[in-house]
Amino acid sequence: MELHWLTVKEAGELLSRGELGWRELFLGLRERIDRVDPRVRAYISLAGDDAISPPGGKGSLSGIPLAVKDNICTKGLETTCASKILKGFRPPYDATVIERLKTAGCVLLGKTNLDEFAMGSSTENSGLFTTHNPWDLGRVPGGSSGGSAAAVAAGECLAALGSDTGGSIRQPAAFCGVVGLKPTYGRVSRYGLVAFASSLDQIGPICRTVEDAALIMEVISGYDPKDSTSAPYPPLNAHELLSKEVKGMVVGLPREYYGEGLDPQVREAVMEGVRVLEGLGCRVEEVSLPHTPYAVATYYLVATAEASSNLARYDGVRYGLRAVGYEDLYEMYVKTRSQGFGEEVKRRIMLGTYALSAGYYDAYYLKAQRVRTLIRGDFERVFETCEALVTPTSPTPAFRIGERVQDPLTMYLSDIYTISANLAGIPAISIPCGFTQEGLPVGLQIMGRAFDEATILSLGHAYQGVTDWHKKTPPL
Amino acid sequence: MEKISRSEVLHVARLARLEFTPQEVEEFTHQLNRIIEYMDQLKELDTEGVEPTFHALAQTNVMRDDQAKPSLSQEEALANAPDRDERGFFRVPRIIQG
């Protein structure tokens, strides 16, 4: 038995029956990391030996080794956001999700790579290094949670946490052939998640099966008084998340997601997935989300405006980098920020500052927030008749490292199918649904109504019950 | 015509507390213009009378009682500071002359 290919569910059962020791599992994964991570480069840092202490908790996650994206605060363990400006930052507290995972008995393996401050779609914007796609080391793992997705795909952890502002969990999950869930906005506490765009950010699981996603959601979801935007609901129940009747469900295919720019091989794999859902008894209907063509522009105005405000806190006073050789406070700020932030982060701060500045606020920021209402309205209309929407997660499979770095706009357009769910606040999951001829994974996205994770997870779980794409492993 | 001029880029950079080399200013001016040009497609849409969505889900202010609770010690709060003094303060350049 290869320990590193176990699902969370399988490992949990072995652990609870005493057929596997948590220490054996942990060390098995550390060994796997030592073997493959020099090629994949998923991890920024590994938890120290003090992580090896008998885990508490009695639930299904007790003793399960997990990886965490390096923009989620871990007490005493360096949290960098893959930025030079936060190098050496050791948070004095745990994010709420970390606290809950620790209480449940999870063992933290380490922190995974990302595009700096989660701004990017490939990990090439990491201020530290680029992660490689385990299916083809010459390609990107997607982003921004590329380290987490690559770690799961390469067997370097059983599951991981990511964060999703415009697709940052789902797109890398699709590129790496694993499952990635962005929960409804407010479902999971953002306390301790380093803020990028506060009205869009959401933490979620990346794992091999939809069932594992449900098990992790059971632990990390639910109201948190420390996050005033967290929704006033109790934690979800994994069994309920997976057990909705799929037969007779009405599933919409929004035609705007199947048009120009969609790679034919991706389309084919997704349509095959749709036929599988039909075989499970779903009723498939074509629908329209007419404002979809405006989503990318809306997103990049809203997200950058919020980011420019959130990133004002990196001033060289309380934590992180402070530049040397300044005359006064203004110069200290300018030099610290200019040396500490990478190019894409600066580009987004500039765009966001411009969109919020006097004379442009109405034309760009406010305009985008009004269009956001129209985009939400599209979803409200189709969800009157459909229970879920099925689309490709990304228009293409993983692209080559270096292929898009020179062209920020093309990079932004790779998020075209994922950002609307963030703008509307609804839950969405990416599930492996096939491979291209080159052997690159393809992801199928299911979007659902706000706070109805149960429908999309039940659909995904039923789909994985009759397919085996999620059981394929890369030749590393 | 370029929508954002070089001097506007410099103005925004100042607002954002960032500085760039002349070559970077050129690049940013070009890139931001291309991006803003793309954003301008939103102008095709009539949003007269459409309320803006600042949060996807209805948000209300959340209040709590003003009760003292355990929090970070001074030492913990200062542990990541790039510069601090021995009395337990963050140290920054002088901002009031005199």
Side-chain angles (χ1 to χ4, degrees), chain A residues 89-90 185 293-294 297 300 316-319 322 326 329-330 337-338 347 360 364 367 369-370 373 376 407 413, chain B residues 8 14 16-17 19 28 31 34 36 38-40 42 44-45 47 50-51 53 55 57 80-82 90-91 93 95:
Chain A
F89 172 62
R90 290 181 189 278
Y185 183 83
Y294 302 98
Y300 277 93
V317 174
R318 290 153 298 163
Y319 36 68
R322 180 186 292 189
Y326 45 85
L329 192 67
Y330 175 82
R337 291 164 61 78
S338 300
R347 186 155 38 235
Y360 299 103
Y364 291 109
K367 180 79 184 183
Q369 296 288 36
R370 291 187 203 282
T373 305
R376 266 179 62 201
D407 188 357
L413 289 170
Chain B
E8 228 166 349
R14 194 176 159 79
R17 301 293 186 264
E19 66 181 0
F28 267 124
Q31 283 174 344
R34 246 198 96 209
I36 285 293
Y38 179 81
M39 305 304 180
D40 275 336
L42 296 187
E44 298 163 8
L45 289 172
T47 51
V50 177
E51 285 296 315
T53 295
H55 260 281
L57 306 164
N80 282 292
F90 295 107
R91 198 192 327 251
I95 49 171

Short mmCIF file of all heavy atoms in Angstrom, two decimals, chain A residues 89-90 185 293-294 297 300 316-319 322 326 329-330 337-338 347 360 364 367 369-370 373 376 407 413, chain B residues 8 14 16-17 19 28 31 34 36 38-40 42 44-45 47 50-51 53 55 57 80-82 90-91 93 95:
data_model
loop_
_atom_site.label_atom_id
_atom_site.label_comp_id
_atom_site.label_asym_id
_atom_site.label_seq_id
_atom_site.Cartn_x
_atom_site.Cartn_y
_atom_site.Cartn_z
N PHE A 89 8.08 36.42 8.57
CA PHE A 89 6.92 36.73 9.42
C PHE A 89 6.39 35.45 10.09
O PHE A 89 6.01 34.49 9.42
CB PHE A 89 5.81 37.38 8.59
CG PHE A 89 4.52 37.57 9.34
CD1 PHE A 89 4.46 38.37 10.47
CD2 PHE A 89 3.36 36.93 8.93
CE1 PHE A 89 3.27 38.54 11.18
CE2 PHE A 89 2.17 37.09 9.61
CZ PHE A 89 2.12 37.89 10.74
N ARG A 90 6.39 35.47 11.40
CA ARG A 90 5.84 34.34 12.16
C ARG A 90 4.59 34.80 12.88
O ARG A 90 4.68 35.55 13.86
CB ARG A 90 6.86 33.81 13.18
CG ARG A 90 8.02 33.14 12.49
CD ARG A 90 9.05 32.58 13.45
NE ARG A 90 10.22 32.15 12.70
CZ ARG A 90 10.30 30.97 12.07
NH1 ARG A 90 9.31 30.11 12.17
NH2 ARG A 90 11.38 30.67 11.37
N TYR A 185 -19.40 32.40 -0.18
CA TYR A 185 -18.77 33.47 0.60
C TYR A 185 -19.40 33.50 2.00
O TYR A 185 -20.62 33.52 2.13
CB TYR A 185 -18.96 34.82 -0.10
CG TYR A 185 -18.27 35.94 0.64
CD1 TYR A 185 -16.91 36.17 0.46
CD2 TYR A 185 -18.95 36.72 1.56
CE1 TYR A 185 -16.25 37.16 1.16
CE2 TYR A 185 -18.31 37.71 2.27
CZ TYR A 185 -16.96 37.92 2.07
OH TYR A 185 -16.31 38.91 2.77
N PRO A 293 -19.54 37.96 -20.41
CA PRO A 293 -18.40 38.60 -21.07
C PRO A 293 -17.81 39.78 -20.28
O PRO A 293 -16.69 40.20 -20.56
CB PRO A 293 -18.98 39.09 -22.41
CG PRO A 293 -20.20 38.26 -22.63
CD PRO A 293 -20.73 37.92 -21.27
N TYR A 294 -18.56 40.31 -19.31
CA TYR A 294 -18.08 41.46 -18.55
C TYR A 294 -17.44 41.08 -17.22
O TYR A 294 -17.00 41.93 -16.46
CB TYR A 294 -19.24 42.44 -18.31
CG TYR A 294 -19.88 42.89 -19.59
CD1 TYR A 294 -21.04 42.29 -20.07
CD2 TYR A 294 -19.29 43.89 -20.36
CE1 TYR A 294 -21.61 42.68 -21.28
CE2 TYR A 294 -19.84 44.29 -21.56
CZ TYR A 294 -21.01 43.68 -22.01
OH TYR A 294 -21.56 44.08 -23.20
N ALA A 297 -13.50 41.97 -16.61
CA ALA A 297 -13.26 43.40 -16.38
C ALA A 297 -13.79 43.81 -15.00
O ALA A 297 -13.13 44.53 -14.25
CB ALA A 297 -13.92 44.22 -17.48
N TYR A 300 -11.45 42.35 -12.23
CA TYR A 300 -10.13 42.97 -12.06
C TYR A 300 -10.20 44.41 -11.58
O TYR A 300 -9.21 44.94 -11.09
CB TYR A 300 -9.25 42.78 -13.31
CG TYR A 300 -8.60 41.41 -13.26
CD1 TYR A 300 -9.18 40.31 -13.87
CD2 TYR A 300 -7.46 41.20 -12.48
CE1 TYR A 300 -8.62 39.05 -13.75
CE2 TYR A 300 -6.89 39.96 -12.36
CZ TYR A 300 -7.47 38.88 -13.00
OH TYR A 300 -6.92 37.64 -12.86
N GLY A 316 6.27 48.46 6.58
CA GLY A 316 7.59 48.33 7.19
C GLY A 316 7.64 48.74 8.65
O GLY A 316 8.71 48.97 9.20
N VAL A 317 6.48 48.82 9.31
CA VAL A 317 6.46 49.23 10.71
C VAL A 317 6.29 48.05 11.66
O VAL A 317 7.06 47.87 12.59
CB VAL A 317 5.34 50.28 10.96
CG1 VAL A 317 5.24 50.61 12.46
CG2 VAL A 317 5.61 51.53 10.16
N ARG A 318 5.26 47.23 11.41
CA ARG A 318 4.89 46.22 12.42
C ARG A 318 5.42 44.82 12.15
O ARG A 318 5.58 44.03 13.05
CB ARG A 318 3.36 46.17 12.55
CG ARG A 318 2.83 47.42 13.20
CD ARG A 318 1.42 47.70 12.77
NE ARG A 318 1.38 47.93 11.33
CZ ARG A 318 0.29 47.88 10.60
NH1 ARG A 318 -0.86 47.59 11.16
NH2 ARG A 318 0.33 48.11 9.30
N TYR A 319 5.65 44.51 10.87
CA TYR A 319 6.15 43.17 10.54
C TYR A 319 6.75 43.22 9.15
O TYR A 319 6.55 44.16 8.39
CB TYR A 319 5.02 42.13 10.58
CG TYR A 319 3.69 42.64 10.10
CD1 TYR A 319 3.48 42.96 8.76
CD2 TYR A 319 2.63 42.83 11.00
CE1 TYR A 319 2.26 43.44 8.33
CE2 TYR A 319 1.40 43.30 10.58
CZ TYR A 319 1.23 43.61 9.23
OH TYR A 319 0.03 44.10 8.80
N ARG A 322 11.67 45.96 6.17
CA ARG A 322 11.81 47.41 6.13
C ARG A 322 13.08 47.71 5.34
O ARG A 322 14.15 47.18 5.66
CB ARG A 322 11.91 48.02 7.53
CG ARG A 322 12.06 49.54 7.46
CD ARG A 322 12.31 50.18 8.80
NE ARG A 322 11.15 50.09 9.67
CZ ARG A 322 11.07 50.74 10.84
NH1 ARG A 322 12.07 51.52 11.25
NH2 ARG A 322 10.01 50.60 11.61
N TYR A 326 16.62 55.37 4.18
CA TYR A 326 15.54 56.32 3.93
C TYR A 326 15.78 57.57 4.77
O TYR A 326 16.43 57.52 5.81
CB TYR A 326 14.18 55.71 4.28
CG TYR A 326 14.18 54.98 5.59
CD1 TYR A 326 13.97 55.67 6.79
CD2 TYR A 326 14.41 53.60 5.65
CE1 TYR A 326 13.99 55.01 8.01
CE2 TYR A 326 14.43 52.94 6.87
CZ TYR A 326 14.22 53.64 8.04
OH TYR A 326 14.25 53.00 9.24
N LEU A 329 9.69 59.23 6.82
CA LEU A 329 8.67 58.18 6.86
C LEU A 329 8.16 57.85 5.46
O LEU A 329 8.02 56.68 5.09
CB LEU A 329 7.51 58.64 7.75
CG LEU A 329 6.51 57.54 8.13
CD1 LEU A 329 7.13 56.49 9.04
CD2 LEU A 329 5.28 58.15 8.79
N TYR A 330 7.87 58.89 4.67
CA TYR A 330 7.36 58.66 3.31
C TYR A 330 8.33 57.80 2.51
O TYR A 330 7.95 56.83 1.86
CB TYR A 330 7.12 60.01 2.61
CG TYR A 330 6.72 59.84 1.16
CD1 TYR A 330 5.39 59.57 0.82
CD2 TYR A 330 7.67 59.94 0.13
CE1 TYR A 330 5.02 59.40 -0.50
CE2 TYR A 330 7.30 59.76 -1.19
CZ TYR A 330 5.98 59.50 -1.50
OH TYR A 330 5.62 59.32 -2.81
N ARG A 337 8.01 49.25 0.24
CA ARG A 337 6.99 48.64 -0.63
C ARG A 337 7.53 48.36 -2.02
O ARG A 337 7.21 47.33 -2.63
CB ARG A 337 5.76 49.57 -0.69
CG ARG A 337 5.03 49.62 0.65
CD ARG A 337 4.06 50.78 0.74
NE ARG A 337 3.00 50.76 -0.26
CZ ARG A 337 1.92 49.99 -0.19
NH1 ARG A 337 1.75 49.17 0.83
NH2 ARG A 337 1.00 50.03 -1.14
N SER A 338 8.37 49.24 -2.52
CA SER A 338 8.90 49.05 -3.87
C SER A 338 9.89 47.89 -3.92
O SER A 338 9.96 47.18 -4.92
CB SER A 338 9.56 50.33 -4.36
OG SER A 338 8.60 51.37 -4.39
N ARG A 347 1.52 46.00 -10.03
CA ARG A 347 0.61 46.31 -11.14
C ARG A 347 -0.83 46.38 -10.61
O ARG A 347 -1.59 47.27 -10.94
CB ARG A 347 0.74 45.22 -12.21
CG ARG A 347 -0.04 45.51 -13.46
CD ARG A 347 0.53 44.79 -14.70
NE ARG A 347 1.01 43.46 -14.44
CZ ARG A 347 2.25 43.04 -14.72
NH1 ARG A 347 3.11 43.85 -15.29
NH2 ARG A 347 2.62 41.82 -14.44
N TYR A 360 -11.97 58.95 -11.07
CA TYR A 360 -12.15 57.66 -11.76
C TYR A 360 -13.02 56.69 -10.97
O TYR A 360 -13.42 55.65 -11.47
CB TYR A 360 -10.79 57.03 -12.07
CG TYR A 360 -9.97 57.90 -12.97
CD1 TYR A 360 -8.92 58.66 -12.47
CD2 TYR A 360 -10.28 58.01 -14.33
CE1 TYR A 360 -8.20 59.50 -13.29
CE2 TYR A 360 -9.56 58.85 -15.16
CZ TYR A 360 -8.53 59.60 -14.63
OH TYR A 360 -7.82 60.42 -15.45
N TYR A 364 -14.97 53.68 -12.92
CA TYR A 364 -14.42 52.33 -12.89
C TYR A 364 -14.91 51.51 -11.69
O TYR A 364 -15.60 50.52 -11.84
CB TYR A 364 -12.88 52.36 -12.94
CG TYR A 364 -12.41 52.83 -14.28
CD1 TYR A 364 -11.84 54.08 -14.46
CD2 TYR A 364 -12.59 52.02 -15.40
CE1 TYR A 364 -11.45 54.51 -15.71
CE2 TYR A 364 -12.21 52.44 -16.67
CZ TYR A 364 -11.63 53.68 -16.82
OH TYR A 364 -11.26 54.10 -18.06
N LYS A 367 -18.79 51.66 -11.23
CA LYS A 367 -19.37 51.02 -12.42
C LYS A 367 -19.24 49.50 -12.29
O LYS A 367 -20.20 48.76 -12.53
CB LYS A 367 -18.64 51.51 -13.67
CG LYS A 367 -19.13 50.91 -14.97
CD LYS A 367 -20.40 51.59 -15.43
CE LYS A 367 -20.96 50.93 -16.69
NZ LYS A 367 -22.17 51.63 -17.18
N GLN A 369 -18.98 47.72 -9.62
CA GLN A 369 -19.86 47.20 -8.57
C GLN A 369 -21.31 47.13 -9.06
O GLN A 369 -22.08 46.28 -8.60
CB GLN A 369 -19.77 48.07 -7.31
CG GLN A 369 -18.38 48.06 -6.65
CD GLN A 369 -18.06 46.76 -5.93
OE1 GLN A 369 -18.43 45.68 -6.37
NE2 GLN A 369 -17.35 46.85 -4.83
N ARG A 370 -21.68 48.03 -9.96
CA ARG A 370 -23.04 47.96 -10.53
C ARG A 370 -23.16 46.76 -11.49
O ARG A 370 -24.16 46.05 -11.50
CB ARG A 370 -23.37 49.24 -11.28
CG ARG A 370 -23.54 50.45 -10.38
CD ARG A 370 -24.04 51.65 -11.19
NE ARG A 370 -23.71 52.91 -10.56
CZ ARG A 370 -24.38 53.42 -9.52
NH1 ARG A 370 -25.41 52.78 -9.02
NH2 ARG A 370 -24.01 54.56 -8.99
N THR A 373 -23.75 43.57 -9.78
CA THR A 373 -25.16 43.32 -9.48
C THR A 373 -25.84 42.62 -10.66
O THR A 373 -26.64 41.70 -10.46
CB THR A 373 -25.88 44.66 -9.17
OG1 THR A 373 -25.17 45.31 -8.13
CG2 THR A 373 -27.32 44.43 -8.76
N ARG A 376 -24.67 38.97 -10.69
CA ARG A 376 -25.42 38.24 -9.65
C ARG A 376 -26.84 37.94 -10.09
O ARG A 376 -27.36 36.85 -9.87
CB ARG A 376 -25.51 39.10 -8.37
CG ARG A 376 -24.44 38.84 -7.37
CD ARG A 376 -24.63 39.75 -6.18
NE ARG A 376 -25.89 39.53 -5.50
CZ ARG A 376 -26.48 40.43 -4.70
NH1 ARG A 376 -25.94 41.62 -4.53
NH2 ARG A 376 -27.59 40.14 -4.09
N ASP A 407 2.34 38.79 -20.64
CA ASP A 407 1.08 39.39 -21.06
C ASP A 407 0.02 39.27 -19.97
O ASP A 407 -0.74 38.31 -19.93
CB ASP A 407 0.62 38.68 -22.35
CG ASP A 407 -0.58 39.37 -22.96
OD1 ASP A 407 -1.07 40.35 -22.36
OD2 ASP A 407 -1.02 38.93 -24.02
N LEU A 413 -7.34 36.46 -18.49
CA LEU A 413 -8.44 35.81 -19.20
C LEU A 413 -8.52 34.31 -18.93
O LEU A 413 -9.53 33.68 -19.21
CB LEU A 413 -8.33 36.09 -20.70
CG LEU A 413 -8.65 37.54 -21.10
CD1 LEU A 413 -8.28 37.80 -22.55
CD2 LEU A 413 -10.11 37.87 -20.87
N GLU B 8 0.26 60.71 -14.95
CA GLU B 8 -0.79 60.12 -14.13
C GLU B 8 -0.30 58.85 -13.42
O GLU B 8 -0.62 58.60 -12.27
CB GLU B 8 -2.00 59.79 -15.01
CG GLU B 8 -3.29 60.28 -14.42
CD GLU B 8 -4.42 60.25 -15.43
OE1 GLU B 8 -4.17 60.04 -16.63
OE2 GLU B 8 -5.55 60.43 -15.00
N ARG B 14 2.57 57.61 -6.46
CA ARG B 14 2.76 58.36 -5.23
C ARG B 14 1.66 58.04 -4.22
O ARG B 14 1.91 57.81 -3.04
CB ARG B 14 2.81 59.87 -5.54
CG ARG B 14 3.32 60.67 -4.39
CD ARG B 14 3.46 62.16 -4.70
NE ARG B 14 3.47 62.88 -3.43
CZ ARG B 14 4.52 62.97 -2.63
NH1 ARG B 14 5.67 62.41 -2.99
NH2 ARG B 14 4.44 63.61 -1.48
N ALA B 16 0.03 55.33 -4.03
CA ALA B 16 0.19 53.95 -3.59
C ALA B 16 1.50 53.72 -2.84
O ALA B 16 1.80 52.60 -2.45
CB ALA B 16 0.11 53.01 -4.79
N ARG B 17 2.27 54.78 -2.65
CA ARG B 17 3.58 54.68 -1.98
C ARG B 17 4.46 53.65 -2.67
O ARG B 17 4.98 52.72 -2.07
CB ARG B 17 3.41 54.31 -0.49
CG ARG B 17 2.58 55.31 0.31
CD ARG B 17 3.30 56.66 0.43
NE ARG B 17 2.59 57.58 1.30
CZ ARG B 17 1.74 58.52 0.88
NH1 ARG B 17 1.46 58.65 -0.42
NH2 ARG B 17 1.17 59.34 1.75
N GLU B 19 7.54 53.40 -5.99
CA GLU B 19 8.38 54.14 -6.93
C GLU B 19 8.88 53.20 -8.01
O GLU B 19 9.02 52.00 -7.79
CB GLU B 19 9.55 54.83 -6.22
CG GLU B 19 10.56 53.87 -5.62
CD GLU B 19 11.70 54.57 -4.90
OE1 GLU B 19 11.73 55.81 -4.86
OE2 GLU B 19 12.58 53.85 -4.38
N PHE B 28 4.64 50.21 -17.26
CA PHE B 28 3.37 50.29 -16.55
C PHE B 28 2.37 51.14 -17.31
O PHE B 28 1.18 50.81 -17.37
CB PHE B 28 3.56 50.84 -15.13
CG PHE B 28 3.74 49.77 -14.10
CD1 PHE B 28 4.86 49.76 -13.28
CD2 PHE B 28 2.80 48.78 -13.92
CE1 PHE B 28 5.04 48.77 -12.32
CE2 PHE B 28 2.96 47.78 -12.97
CZ PHE B 28 4.09 47.78 -12.17
N GLN B 31 1.11 48.98 -20.10
CA GLN B 31 0.28 47.86 -19.64
C GLN B 31 -1.03 48.34 -19.04
O GLN B 31 -2.10 47.79 -19.32
CB GLN B 31 1.04 47.04 -18.59
CG GLN B 31 2.09 46.14 -19.19
CD GLN B 31 2.91 45.46 -18.12
OE1 GLN B 31 2.89 45.88 -16.97
NE2 GLN B 31 3.63 44.43 -18.49
N ARG B 34 -3.45 49.29 -21.68
CA ARG B 34 -4.08 48.12 -22.34
C ARG B 34 -5.16 47.52 -21.45
O ARG B 34 -6.23 47.15 -21.90
CB ARG B 34 -3.00 47.07 -22.62
CG ARG B 34 -2.78 46.85 -24.10
CD ARG B 34 -2.07 45.54 -24.36
NE ARG B 34 -3.00 44.46 -24.69
CZ ARG B 34 -2.75 43.19 -24.43
NH1 ARG B 34 -1.65 42.83 -23.84
NH2 ARG B 34 -3.63 42.26 -24.77
N ILE B 36 -6.84 49.03 -18.94
CA ILE B 36 -7.97 49.96 -18.80
C ILE B 36 -8.83 49.99 -20.07
O ILE B 36 -10.06 50.06 -20.01
CB ILE B 36 -7.44 51.37 -18.45
CG1 ILE B 36 -7.00 51.42 -16.99
CG2 ILE B 36 -8.48 52.45 -18.72
CD1 ILE B 36 -8.13 51.27 -15.97
N TYR B 38 -9.35 47.48 -21.93
CA TYR B 38 -10.19 46.29 -21.80
C TYR B 38 -11.35 46.54 -20.83
O TYR B 38 -12.49 46.17 -21.08
CB TYR B 38 -9.33 45.10 -21.35
CG TYR B 38 -10.12 43.83 -21.18
CD1 TYR B 38 -10.44 43.04 -22.29
CD2 TYR B 38 -10.57 43.42 -19.92
CE1 TYR B 38 -11.18 41.88 -22.14
CE2 TYR B 38 -11.31 42.26 -19.77
CZ TYR B 38 -11.61 41.49 -20.88
OH TYR B 38 -12.36 40.35 -20.73
N MET B 39 -11.05 47.21 -19.70
CA MET B 39 -12.08 47.49 -18.70
C MET B 39 -13.18 48.40 -19.25
O MET B 39 -14.30 48.37 -18.79
CB MET B 39 -11.47 48.21 -17.47
CG MET B 39 -10.30 47.50 -16.81
SD MET B 39 -10.73 45.84 -16.30
CE MET B 39 -9.20 45.28 -15.57
N ASP B 40 -12.81 49.20 -20.23
CA ASP B 40 -13.77 50.17 -20.78
C ASP B 40 -14.97 49.51 -21.45
O ASP B 40 -15.97 50.18 -21.70
CB ASP B 40 -13.07 51.13 -21.76
CG ASP B 40 -12.42 52.30 -21.02
OD1 ASP B 40 -12.88 52.59 -19.89
OD2 ASP B 40 -11.47 52.89 -21.54
N LEU B 42 -17.00 47.81 -20.03
CA LEU B 42 -18.12 47.93 -19.08
C LEU B 42 -19.02 49.11 -19.44
O LEU B 42 -20.19 49.14 -19.10
CB LEU B 42 -17.62 48.08 -17.65
CG LEU B 42 -16.84 46.91 -17.04
CD1 LEU B 42 -16.59 47.18 -15.56
CD2 LEU B 42 -17.59 45.60 -17.20
N GLU B 44 -20.23 49.84 -22.15
CA GLU B 44 -21.32 49.46 -23.06
C GLU B 44 -22.61 49.20 -22.31
O GLU B 44 -23.70 49.26 -22.88
CB GLU B 44 -20.98 48.13 -23.78
CG GLU B 44 -19.77 48.16 -24.65
CD GLU B 44 -19.29 46.74 -24.98
OE1 GLU B 44 -19.99 45.76 -24.65
OE2 GLU B 44 -18.19 46.63 -25.56
N LEU B 45 -22.49 48.84 -21.03
CA LEU B 45 -23.67 48.44 -20.27
C LEU B 45 -24.36 49.63 -19.65
O LEU B 45 -23.72 50.49 -19.05
CB LEU B 45 -23.26 47.46 -19.15
CG LEU B 45 -22.83 46.07 -19.60
CD1 LEU B 45 -22.28 45.31 -18.39
CD2 LEU B 45 -24.01 45.31 -20.19
N THR B 47 -26.12 50.94 -16.71
CA THR B 47 -26.29 50.55 -15.30
C THR B 47 -27.07 51.63 -14.54
O THR B 47 -27.02 51.68 -13.31
CB THR B 47 -24.92 50.33 -14.62
OG1 THR B 47 -24.08 51.45 -14.87
CG2 THR B 47 -24.25 49.07 -15.13
N VAL B 50 -29.04 50.81 -11.33
CA VAL B 50 -28.62 49.53 -10.76
C VAL B 50 -27.82 49.79 -9.48
O VAL B 50 -26.86 50.57 -9.49
CB VAL B 50 -27.74 48.74 -11.77
CG1 VAL B 50 -27.25 47.44 -11.14
CG2 VAL B 50 -28.51 48.47 -13.04
N GLU B 51 -28.23 49.18 -8.40
CA GLU B 51 -27.51 49.36 -7.13
C GLU B 51 -26.16 48.64 -7.20
O GLU B 51 -26.08 47.54 -7.73
CB GLU B 51 -28.32 48.76 -5.98
CG GLU B 51 -29.52 49.59 -5.57
CD GLU B 51 -29.12 50.95 -5.01
OE1 GLU B 51 -28.18 50.99 -4.19
OE2 GLU B 51 -29.73 51.95 -5.42
N THR B 53 -23.08 46.34 -5.89
CA THR B 53 -22.92 45.22 -4.96
C THR B 53 -21.56 45.34 -4.30
O THR B 53 -20.55 45.06 -4.93
CB THR B 53 -22.98 43.86 -5.71
OG1 THR B 53 -24.28 43.71 -6.27
CG2 THR B 53 -22.71 42.69 -4.78
N HIS B 55 -20.91 43.78 -1.37
CA HIS B 55 -20.73 42.44 -0.84
C HIS B 55 -21.74 41.52 -1.48
O HIS B 55 -22.89 41.91 -1.67
CB HIS B 55 -20.90 42.43 0.68
CG HIS B 55 -19.60 42.45 1.40
ND1 HIS B 55 -18.84 41.33 1.56
CD2 HIS B 55 -18.91 43.45 1.98
CE1 HIS B 55 -17.73 41.64 2.22
NE2 HIS B 55 -17.74 42.93 2.48
N LEU B 57 -23.22 38.92 -0.39
CA LEU B 57 -24.31 38.51 0.48
C LEU B 57 -24.64 39.67 1.40
O LEU B 57 -23.78 40.47 1.72
CB LEU B 57 -23.90 37.29 1.30
CG LEU B 57 -23.39 36.16 0.41
CD1 LEU B 57 -22.64 35.13 1.20
CD2 LEU B 57 -24.58 35.52 -0.32
N ASN B 80 7.55 40.58 15.55
CA ASN B 80 7.86 40.65 14.11
C ASN B 80 8.33 42.03 13.67
O ASN B 80 8.53 42.26 12.47
CB ASN B 80 6.63 40.26 13.29
CG ASN B 80 6.42 38.76 13.27
OD1 ASN B 80 7.21 38.02 12.68
ND2 ASN B 80 5.38 38.28 13.93
N ALA B 81 8.46 42.97 14.60
CA ALA B 81 8.78 44.35 14.21
C ALA B 81 10.17 44.45 13.60
O ALA B 81 11.14 43.90 14.15
CB ALA B 81 8.69 45.26 15.42
N PRO B 82 10.32 45.16 12.48
CA PRO B 82 11.65 45.36 11.90
C PRO B 82 12.54 46.22 12.80
O PRO B 82 13.75 46.10 12.79
CB PRO B 82 11.38 46.08 10.58
CG PRO B 82 9.92 46.07 10.36
CD PRO B 82 9.26 45.77 11.66
N PHE B 90 7.16 50.23 18.66
CA PHE B 90 7.68 50.20 17.29
C PHE B 90 8.49 51.47 17.08
O PHE B 90 8.07 52.55 17.50
CB PHE B 90 6.52 50.19 16.28
CG PHE B 90 5.67 48.95 16.35
CD1 PHE B 90 4.40 48.99 16.90
CD2 PHE B 90 6.14 47.75 15.86
CE1 PHE B 90 3.60 47.85 16.96
CE2 PHE B 90 5.35 46.59 15.91
CZ PHE B 90 4.08 46.66 16.46
N ARG B 91 9.63 51.36 16.42
CA ARG B 91 10.42 52.55 16.15
C ARG B 91 10.28 52.94 14.67
O ARG B 91 10.46 52.11 13.79
CB ARG B 91 11.89 52.34 16.49
CG ARG B 91 12.62 53.67 16.62
CD ARG B 91 14.15 53.57 16.67
NE ARG B 91 14.70 52.40 17.28
CZ ARG B 91 15.34 52.39 18.48
NH1 ARG B 91 15.46 53.50 19.19
NH2 ARG B 91 15.85 51.29 18.93
N PRO B 93 10.82 56.48 11.72
CA PRO B 93 11.52 57.77 11.59
C PRO B 93 10.71 58.89 12.23
O PRO B 93 9.47 58.82 12.28
CB PRO B 93 11.61 57.97 10.07
CG PRO B 93 11.38 56.64 9.47
CD PRO B 93 10.53 55.87 10.42
N ILE B 95 8.48 61.90 12.79
CA ILE B 95 7.47 62.49 11.91
C ILE B 95 7.07 63.90 12.34
O ILE B 95 6.44 64.62 11.60
CB ILE B 95 6.20 61.61 11.79
CG1 ILE B 95 5.70 61.19 13.17
CG2 ILE B 95 6.45 60.39 10.93
CD1 ILE B 95 4.34 60.52 13.12
#
